[in-house]
Amino acid sequence: MAKALSILLLGSGGREHALADKLAQSPRCRALHAAPGNPGIGRHATLAPTLSITDGEAVVAYARAHAIDLVVIGPEAPLVAGVADACRAAGILVFGPSAAAARLEASKAYTKQICDEAGVPTAQYRSFSERNAAIAYCDAHPLPVVVKADGLAAGKGVTVATTHTEARAALDELFAVPGACVVIEECMVGEEVSMFVLADGSAALPLLAAQDHKRIGEGDTGPNTGGMGAYAPASLFTATLQADAMARIIAPTLETLQARGTPFQGVLFAGLMLTRDGPKLIEYNVRFGDPECQVLMALLDSDLVDLLEACASGTLGSAVLRWKPGAAVTVVIAAEGYPGTPRTGARIAGIPEAEADGAKVFQAGTACDAAGQLVASGGRVLAITATGPCVTAAAAAAYAAIEKISFADAIFRRDIGHHEIAREAASGDRA
Ligand code: AMP
Ligand code: GLY
């Protein structure tokens, strides 16, 4: 076995709790630190709650002081702020792309430029920095039309407008911010999948694909959120479609970034629309999806430390990827009010009971109150994750675990995995 590592994980969401849980299971993890973390992550790691994770110098100083061998960056904000660059410059191994490569997530207009250069199939689009020109363009184009903020918006800056009034309202809201840049796109039709590819600057290794449930409401209704649940594997993303997406979307993008002198090291997350003309790119993110990461970690059988170190050190070519059989489902429990202003402070109980039959309760917006009791402190609060022989069984196990959780302001969708559950019922695949 290769050397055991001391690892620093940055982030505080359900994604990072799932990563912490998996990292801590590895015989190669000597010590795990996390910043700022949350009470769930604190079950596996020494927390550094006051370390500013977007401050590269502070992260490097912490890593030096604690003899950290590998820094793992969960969310996009530190990546965009150049924390991976600061670590690399200090000679510390880091899982996560440079700020230059992270522009793929930070700027939709930049991504479109890369897509043009690389010939990646994506929606037709125009970028605007002026409101009236944007409105004139929308009015002249067929509906529905997609209106997006150019910068980071935690998955919530997108409106799929079915009327011109709705498009105008979205544009008015975005242009109310001084200096706003807005992208207007053709609306693509199909089912969405979240594709994840590990990359070390030259080699690339696709992971299982997942499906997210972005809308707040059952039946995929209501406003977009960061994600209300996910499942994997996504059977509609066949090996043929994966090979097609690798060849026409991922490989040309990675080659273009490399040719520009900004190679990508980390996990590239492609949101794909499976259209009648094949997979098309909706957007790139430069990190694991949340909650997709929770289902990927539930199914990953390989050692996560090996994989992340291989990305960081440019040795992914020799990495081995193994998955557990079956499927995983994660259901997000959010606080009343999400994706607007969530109600915080409700007490949470029942986690040990929910985990008694093998489900995992990953924590996101949680905190300990003065009495040491776990309370809700954010929009997405818990991600209840379970596995089973098929999606139908994994979803049943996740919902059985939720029954054990008591949390007054909880809202969650009861239909996570519905696309796949319908496919399993239709094909008689249900285990
Ligand atoms: P994004 O933040 O770009 O991932 O967009 C959030 C969600 O909006 C996506 O997951 C899609 O459901 C939807 N969306 C974004 N762009 C398009 C598009 N061009 N066509 C159809 N739906 C889109
Ligand atoms: N679940 C989608 C995202 O992480 O952006």
Side-chain angles (χ1 to χ4, degrees):
M1 188 179 73
K3 171 181 166 233
L5 306 180
S6 290
I7 300 170
L8 170 61
L9 171 66
L10 304 185
S12 62
R15 165 183 51 213
E16 287 77 22
H17 189 177
L19 291 171
D21 176 63
K22 191 76 188 165
L23 289 169
Q25 288 170 37
S26 166
R28 291 201 57 212
C29 182
R30 186 170 53 216
L32 183 61
H33 296 244
N38 65 34
I41 295 171
R43 280 161 46 188
H44 311 286
T46 304
L47 298 185
T50 57
L51 175 62
S52 166
I53 65 165
T54 51
D55 179 342
E57 276 180 34
V59 170
V60 166
Y62 183 94
R64 288 207 167 120
H66 294 84
I68 297 296
D69 304 297
L70 173 68
V71 176
V72 175
I73 304 182
E76 59 275 19
L79 296 166
V80 173
V83 172
D85 305 78
C87 292
R88 278 193 197 99
I92 300 166
L93 274 185
V94 56
F95 175 79
S98 65
R103 284 186 72 202
L104 277 186
E105 175 158 1
S107 166
K108 293 186 193 294
Y110 174 76
T111 300
K112 291 294 191 183
Q113 250 177 49
I114 296 286
C115 287
D116 281 349
E117 233 175 281
V120 167
T122 183
Q124 301 278 333
Y125 76 101
R126 280 268 305 270
S127 303
F128 294 90
S129 51
E130 207 266 310
R131 175 184 170 276
N132 290 345
I135 287 179
Y137 180 86
C138 265
D139 285 349
H141 277 76
L143 295 165
V145 72
V146 182
V147 177
K148 300 184 178 187
D150 182 43
L152 294 180
K156 291 175 263 179
V158 175
T159 304
V160 180
T162 49
T163 64
H164 286 118
T165 316
E166 209 183 331
R168 273 174 183 248
L171 288 169
D172 282 341
E173 197 179 324
L174 295 176
F175 280 114
V177 179
C181 179
V182 172
V183 174
I184 300 177
E185 290 188 356
E186 152 209 13
C187 186
M188 299 183 288
V189 179
E191 251 191 75
E192 289 182 51
V193 296
S194 300
M195 180 183 191
F196 297 92
V197 181
L198 294 179
D200 71 354
S202 52
L205 189 62
L207 302 180
L208 284 183
Q211 249 187 328
D212 185 12
H213 298 61
K214 295 214 161 150
R215 305 297 190 106
I216 189 76
E218 283 160 19
D220 301 317
T221 53
N224 268 323
T225 68
M228 292 302 290
Y231 72 86
S235 72
L236 78 168
F237 196 56
T238 58
T240 311
L241 287 175
Q242 185 192 66
D244 186 32
M246 281 301 282
R248 295 196 307 131
I249 298 177
I250 305 294
T253 301
L254 293 175
E255 281 158 21
T256 301
L257 290 180
Q258 204 173 15
R260 282 176 163 233
T262 56
F264 191 96
Q265 273 181 295
V267 59
L268 182 60
F269 164 6
L272 301 180
M273 189 71 85
L274 303 183
T275 74
R276 286 204 300 196
D277 305 323
K280 290 190 178 179
L281 182 75
I282 302 170
E283 64 157 2
Y284 277 129
N285 296 302
V286 297
R287 48 162 177 90
F288 281 111
D290 186 346
E292 291 95 323
C293 186
Q294 287 84 316
V295 285
L296 293 185
M297 292 307 118
L299 293 174
L300 184 66
D301 202 29
S302 308
D303 189 307
L304 184 62
V305 176
D306 286 347
L307 290 174
L308 302 190
E309 184 197 28
C311 288
S313 61
T315 55
L316 194 58
S318 54
V320 185
L321 199 51
R322 287 184 315 274
W323 299 99
K324 296 172 188 163
V329 168
T330 189
V331 180
V332 168
I333 304 189
E336 184 73 48
Y338 180 75
T341 309
R343 207 177 311 155
T344 57
R347 292 192 158 195
I348 300 162
I351 291 180
E353 293 78 2
E355 292 188 328
D357 291 328
K360 296 216 174 192
V361 178
F362 295 122
Q363 299 184 30
T366 60
C368 285
D369 68 9
Q373 166 73 42
L374 194 68
V375 295
S377 66
R380 293 190 292 173
V381 179
L382 304 172
I384 317 299
T385 309
T387 54
C390 60
V391 171
T392 308
Y399 285 109
I402 287 184
E403 291 296 317
K404 313 276 174 54
I405 301 273
S406 105
F407 163 26
D409 294 332
I411 53 169
F412 63 91
R413 281 179 58 167
R414 292 177 187 276
D415 66 345
I416 300 304
H418 66 94
H419 285 127
E420 195 72 18
I421 290 168
R423 278 191 282 270
E424 285 175 355
S427 71
D429 255 5
R430 187 192 289 218

